[in-house]
Amino acid sequence: MYRTHHCNELRKSDAGENVILVGWVNTVRDHHGVIFMDIRDREGVTQCVFRSEENADATALSHTLRSEDVIQVTGRVEVRPEIDGQSTFNDAIETGEIEIVATELKILNKSEVLPFQLDKELSNEDLRMKHRYLDLRRPRMAKNLRTRHEITKAIRNTLDEQGFLEIETPVLSKSTPEGARDFLVPSRLSPGKFYALPQAPQQYKQLLMVAGVERYFQIARCFRDEDLRADRQPEFTQVDIEASFITEEDIYATIEAMLSSVFETARGIKVPTPFPRITHQEAMDKYGSDKPERRFGCEIVDVTEHFKDSGFGVFKRAIEGGGVVRAINAKGFAGISTGQIKRLEEVAKEAGAGGLAYIQVRGAAHDTWRSPIVKFFSEEELAAIEKDLNIEEGDLILFGCDKWSTVCDVLGRLRLECCAMNGWLEGKDDVLDFHWVIDFPLLDYDEEEGKWNAVHHPFTRPHPDDVALLDDESKWGGIRGAAYDVVLNGNELGGGSLRIHEGDLQAKMFRVLGIDDEEQAGNFGHILGAFQYGAPPHGGIALGLDRLVMLACQEHSIREVIAFPKNNKGMDLMSSSPAEVDFKQLRELYMKSTVQEKKD
RNA sequence: GGAGCGGUAGCUCAGUUGGUUAGAGCGCCGGCCUGUCACGCCGGAGGUCGCGGGUUCAAGUCCCGUCCGCUCCGCCA
């Protein structure tokens, strides 16, 4: 028997018991005559005391203990004594009222000095990843791993209670031309052919509905070969859900129950349900984003009406070209620095704006408003925006003028940038603004390619009121999909839709997307075939588990909640993958690299 | 593919206008210490300033190139 208790278990009531603990040496405080050592396992820390009068051999050995040695301590539980009338209890640890008076010490394995200290934050990501197994010993990381486990458990429990079956779908699957770049796996048994790793189990889960499973879920690993970000990894985990004979309302209720359980488990926060819903149109109009951050104001206001005949040519021309003029009021931000203005200009240009029109409202009187453009505005125009934007002394007004979608994007980003600059979200960590964004557009015209694309994916069902519009190309841009996203504090947690279950509607949808019969048969033949044999009405949703856990753990990167993540370039620095392979391995796969060595 | 920030001791960082032998805290090693809990005190070791080139009497510092890390844009149905 290695141990009788874990390191966060013993309390005052255990005093007098003989116990055995195992774990790592957390810290040693060696006073020569008496040695204190904190032993740590995954549950916590317990103080052990070595005194020569108790056991000379163990005490002698305890002098040699170093951080992170693996040890086994046998001893007696004692209530920590009073010394000179002073309590020696330690409130900082849960076992702080007791200590183990050691009678025996075994060093199970010595440790080299670690490349970094576990009790200090370290900024060198490279080093953390190289020694990830040590990084994960740090309490914050250990806690994140545990929270992740508790969250997946809460998810499984909720879905199980609602009759969902967890079913695995293949990882070796077929490449799909739509969407992200696939990771490919060459097939040895079919020379020259490739599997693709799934970007999502989309088609399999719909086929499970045809199979009569009715309620499916999977905590599924997905793969996308695209560039990475703090919240994007080449392999990531989705909570993938699909159900038959359900409506949007059923999906909303299931996800609300699930997320509420997740945040109660992970953070002890009761999330009120049902979540509010806003339409995609409203989200874009007010917040300039389909995943709005609504914990601060600064909403977008349309002022197009006031500038139709403006003396300011930039606004007037934008409106004449079918565009809009909109603005946000960054309350109290008139004192913005020139550097910050420059930064905002960059943000606006990144989003496609030609420039950035702004007003620093120094005083109540219009002639105190500082701005490169205000001299072109009439008194009526100034009065109108003062009223619509609720302008007061000390405000900063930022304008966007262009076509609707560009203005949404520009002001949406400026709004977030102003928030970051002013710390408007400080102290709002525990405010959880869950909401649904509904009525997404179904199709979106790609001007570069000159074709219509599916906003969500080609299996998304059109809104029942808009199905007829599919026959009239001029109306395609206005078709809503039966699609929805669930958003938390400006982060897309997941999205889904009701699906097309009729073969003829699906074929029509493919034609709208410019996918001809041959391509349909080649890439989607199995699903179109399946739909001919009594496919039930169905729909579903997928949530990004990594991002969900990240938010629950209040981390800023999903790498903090993944045990062994990849770096920015998709590399695992611990195992040095990806790596070159043997010529022999390639030959078996009928593969040959065309990479040229860089010449000097 | 593009932009920004960073790379100085094992770790976290400082390093002024280019100027003597590149510093601090933590860690590490040794010594002292019987009630600490970030133990304390004394002493010590530890550096190719990412790499290459250039300017200069002189480069951690300036210039060019390059590699690596992080963040963002593009991209991610």
Side-chain angles (χ1 to χ4, degrees):
Chain A
M1 181 171 59
Y2 270 105
R3 62 174 148 213
T4 57
H5 298 79
H6 65 67
C7 293
N8 197 18
E9 195 170 354
L10 296 164
R11 299 290 184 269
K12 255 178 169 170
S13 54
D14 300 303
E17 266 204 68
N18 284 306
V19 299
I20 310 173
L21 301 182
V22 285
W24 288 263
V25 173
N26 203 47
T27 52
V28 184
R29 297 174 293 280
D30 185 341
H31 296 237
H32 200 67
V34 58
I35 296 97
F36 298 99
M37 186 268 305
D38 292 343
I39 185 171
R40 181 195 78 233
D41 66 12
R42 67 169 216 201
E43 305 297 331
V45 166
T46 302
Q47 172 165 284
C48 304
V49 192
F50 295 86
R51 281 194 219 94
S52 38
E53 59 266 30
E54 291 285 342
N55 184 318
D57 291 346
T59 305
L61 189 57
S62 75
H63 287 297
T64 71
L65 290 176
R66 294 293 176 268
S67 289
E68 301 305 310
D69 289 345
V70 181
I71 55 166
Q72 181 181 46
V73 178
T74 306
R76 194 173 62 249
V77 181
E78 286 190 4
V79 177
R80 293 193 186 194
E82 271 196 8
I83 305 288
D84 299 331
Q86 292 287 306
S87 164
T88 57
F89 288 1
N90 181 0
D91 298 338
I93 57 175
E94 293 181 67
T95 58
E97 296 191 343
I98 57 101
E99 59 192 8
I100 310 300
V101 177
T103 53
E104 212 178 310
L105 169 65
K106 260 194 213 152
I107 299 181
L108 304 180
N109 206 352
K110 294 290 288 179
S111 170
E112 295 288 323
V113 174
L114 264 43
F116 49 81
Q117 287 164 253
L118 299 184
D119 57 349
K120 297 248 176 345
E121 285 293 314
L122 88 165
S123 58
N124 189 338
E125 291 280 313
D126 205 348
L127 193 71
R128 288 181 66 193
M129 289 308 157
K130 226 177 242 166
H131 305 277
R132 184 61 160 179
Y133 44 87
L134 298 178
D135 192 41
L136 294 176
R137 283 188 195 169
R138 294 159 59 228
R140 177 175 135 216
M141 289 295 109
K143 181 165 177 274
N144 288 353
L145 290 184
R146 184 176 291 235
T147 303
R148 186 177 178 122
H149 160 75
E150 282 163 359
I151 286 174
T152 52
K153 205 171 87 180
I155 288 170
R156 285 199 165 93
N157 288 347
T158 313
L159 293 173
D160 175 61
E161 281 161 18
Q162 299 195 16
F164 286 82
L165 305 185
E166 183 168 9
I167 298 173
E168 291 164 89
T169 56
V171 165
L172 294 177
S173 54
K174 186 176 176 177
S175 181
T176 49
E178 305 263 331
R181 199 175 289 122
D182 286 318
F183 279 100
L184 297 176
V185 180
S187 162
R188 179 179 58 84
L189 297 176
S190 305
K193 295 190 175 170
F194 296 83
Y195 300 101
L197 305 183
Q199 299 175 23
Q202 183 61 36
Q203 296 186 33
Y204 288 110
K205 69 174 174 177
Q206 290 193 245
L207 292 169
L208 285 173
M209 294 305 106
V210 182
V213 167
E214 295 202 22
R215 288 180 171 228
Y216 142 96
F217 84 98
Q218 180 178 197
I219 297 186
R221 195 63 61 86
C222 305
F223 306 85
R224 291 178 190 173
D225 189 8
E226 296 293 344
D227 284 4
L228 309 179
R229 289 281 193 283
D231 63 351
R232 256 163 38 194
Q233 284 272 302
E235 54 178 307
F236 60 100
T237 307
Q238 276 190 354
V239 180
D240 195 48
I241 295 171
E242 196 77 7
S244 300
F245 312 121
I246 43 98
T247 63
E248 287 108 318
E249 296 298 332
D250 298 315
I251 304 262
Y252 299 159
T254 296
I255 298 304
E256 283 162 3
M258 190 179 97
L259 289 175
S260 145
S261 157
V262 161
F263 275 78
E264 175 133 30
T265 307
R267 292 268 289 281
I269 298 176
K270 285 230 181 219
V271 179
T273 58
F275 301 163
R277 299 169 197 176
I278 70 172
T279 63
H280 179 266
Q281 178 79 36
E282 186 187 353
M284 296 306 290
D285 280 340
K286 272 193 181 166
Y287 307 102
S289 169
D290 60 4
K291 43 179 187 196
E293 167 60 88
R294 311 191 306 167
R295 287 178 299 167
F296 65 96
C298 200
E299 290 173 12
I300 297 169
V301 176
D302 190 290
V303 292
T304 309
E305 276 304 307
H306 307 311
F307 290 99
K308 278 195 164 145
D309 301 305
S310 179
F312 186 42
V314 178
F315 283 4
K316 190 169 181 230
R317 282 191 297 276
I319 295 166
E320 283 167 358
V324 297
V325 178
R326 293 183 174 191
I328 53 174
N329 182 352
K331 280 279 168 200
F333 198 24
I336 186 171
S337 72
T338 35
Q340 287 173 315
I341 291 261
K342 219 178 133 193
R343 171 76 199 126
L344 291 184
E345 264 167 6
E346 275 169 27
V347 169
K349 282 179 183 167
E350 238 164 37
L356 177 60
Y358 62 92
I359 303 172
Q360 288 168 275
V361 183
R362 293 276 174 89
H366 294 168
D367 58 9
T368 63
W369 292 12
R370 221 178 102 126
S371 162
I373 54 158
V374 83
K375 60 187 174 219
F376 302 110
F377 290 3
S378 71
E379 193 51 40
E380 290 72 36
E381 286 164 353
L382 288 172
I385 59 170
E386 181 169 14
K387 178 167 169 285
D388 286 3
L389 285 154
N390 182 27
I391 297 176
E392 296 169 308
E393 187 175 333
D395 292 349
L396 173 72
I397 312 303
L398 301 166
F399 291 90
C401 70
D402 207 310
K403 61 175 198 265
W404 175 80
S405 58
T406 306
V407 171
C408 288
D409 193 20
V410 169
L411 292 178
R413 291 193 204 200
L414 288 174
R415 184 175 170 271
L416 291 176
E417 190 66 31
C418 287
C419 171
M421 285 175 172
N422 288 289
W424 287 334
L425 290 176
E426 268 168 38
K428 295 201 175 173
D429 287 352
D430 283 343
V431 180
L432 300 177
D433 175 39
F434 285 97
H435 57 267
W436 293 99
V437 177
I438 60 170
D439 291 347
F440 269 74
L442 185 72
L443 299 162
D444 154 54
Y445 189 71
D446 184 329
E447 299 195 1
E448 267 176 44
E449 289 182 65
K451 67 189 264 292
W452 290 88
N453 286 328
V455 168
H456 194 49
H457 59 55
F459 312 107
T460 304
R461 185 168 198 81
H463 192 285
D465 298 345
D466 297 351
V467 177
L469 303 180
L470 278 175
D471 296 324
D472 179 358
E473 183 166 354
S474 70
K475 301 269 174 66
W476 285 358
I479 302 178
R480 290 164 297 169
Y484 33 81
D485 277 3
V486 60
V487 175
L488 167 60
N489 296 346
N491 295 279
E492 181 193 332
L493 287 181
S497 63
L498 300 186
R499 326 294 186 191
I500 297 168
H501 58 271
E502 310 91 323
D504 50 351
L505 182 58
Q506 185 66 64
K508 185 188 268 185
M509 187 65 189
F510 279 134
R511 281 198 297 277
V512 166
L513 296 171
I515 299 171
D516 62 33
D517 292 353
E518 199 185 333
E519 204 179 338
Q520 283 180 42
N523 287 322
F524 305 105
H526 52 294
I527 203 159
L528 290 172
F531 284 172
Q532 294 170 358
Y533 300 108
H538 62 284
I541 189 165
L543 284 83
L545 179 70
D546 309 284
R547 202 174 291 173
L548 179 62
V549 177
M550 172 185 90
L551 292 166
C553 290
Q554 305 191 73
E555 293 286 357
H556 296 287
S557 166
I558 59 171
R559 284 190 296 262
E560 307 296 341
V561 299
I562 295 173
F564 298 104
K566 309 270 191 291
N567 75 359
N568 242 346
K569 296 226 169 85
M571 293 188 297
D572 174 352
L573 296 174
M574 197 175 61
S575 66
S576 303
S577 76
E580 286 173 356
V581 295
D582 255 17
F583 167 72
K584 265 172 71 183
Q585 280 178 285
L586 287 177
R587 195 177 52 193
E588 283 187 330
L589 297 165
Y590 308 91
M591 304 275 294
K592 193 171 156 188
S593 172
T594 61
V595 171
Q596 303 283 315
E597 287 291 324
K598 259 193 191 168
K599 284 173 190 152
D600 294 324

